Amino acid sequence: MEPLITLVAVTGLLLLAGALGAVRLRRSTAALRGGLAAMFTLTAGAHFVGMREELVAMVPPALPAPGLLVTLTGIAELACALGLLWSPTARSSAAALSAMLIVMYPANVHAAGGDVPWWDSLGPRTAMQAVFLAATVTVLIRTPHPTPASHEKAPTGHSRWGL
């Protein structure tokens, strides 16, 4: 539940900052990129501290080296979270995160089995994954393709290197 709260809260705060005059946050996609970056930074951290054992246990038994897989996905989530914050890499980061959410869904199915609280059952887990996937796909679709000229100055006079 914490990742969903982080996504909603940070995106909301960034939207508010944009409404209050933060030029780079006026586009809703920029706020969503920031919210996703915060969320995936949080979830990436859980791959190493706090929830590592629970995440290793989520890996379906058919997959090899669960600890290594958790480490690699944590590194990938952190790299993509950073990539969301830089305009030239935002689309590719969103695409990679979308693919990861789909590929890692079986781990959520595996984790939802057994005696779990209602919020950890398959329905709520699937709903949250759908929200996260919708957000990454939105960033992928609505973020403009970077062009060589976009690394210099945008027509508004603001650099496109940031959000």
Side-chain angles (χ1 to χ4, degrees):
M1 189 66 74
E2 291 86 353
L4 180 61
I5 293 168
T6 300
L7 173 63
V8 171
V10 172
T11 300
L13 288 172
L14 294 175
L15 285 169
L16 178 62
L20 294 174
V23 175
R24 291 186 178 180
L25 297 173
R26 286 198 178 140
R27 292 182 53 131
S28 59
T29 306
L32 184 56
R33 285 169 47 199
L36 282 167
M39 183 197 84
F40 279 107
T41 298
L42 174 73
T43 60
H47 286 70
F48 304 102
V49 179
M51 289 187 59
R52 181 171 176 80
E53 293 308 313
E54 290 93 334
L55 293 175
V56 170
M58 282 178 64
V59 176
L63 296 176
L68 177 62
L69 291 174
V70 168
T71 298
L72 293 175
T73 55
I75 291 168
E77 285 183 14
L78 186 56
C80 288
L82 292 171
L84 286 170
L85 299 176
W86 191 42
S87 291
T89 59
R91 287 178 49 83
S92 58
S93 293
L97 289 166
S98 297
M100 285 176 53
L101 286 166
I102 293 167
V103 169
M104 293 189 310
Y105 181 72
N108 283 285
V109 172
H110 179 69
D115 187 25
V116 296
W118 71 267
W119 61 85
D120 259 350
S121 64
L122 188 56
R125 279 182 172 272
T126 300
M128 279 196 296
Q129 288 290 104
V131 170
F132 302 154
L133 184 59
T136 58
V137 169
T138 298
V139 169
L140 176 61
I141 292 170
R142 296 193 59 207
T143 299
H145 289 277
T147 60
S150 71
H151 299 298
E152 295 163 13
K153 288 289 181 179
T156 60
H158 299 286
S159 171
R160 290 196 186 215
W161 285 84
L163 289 172

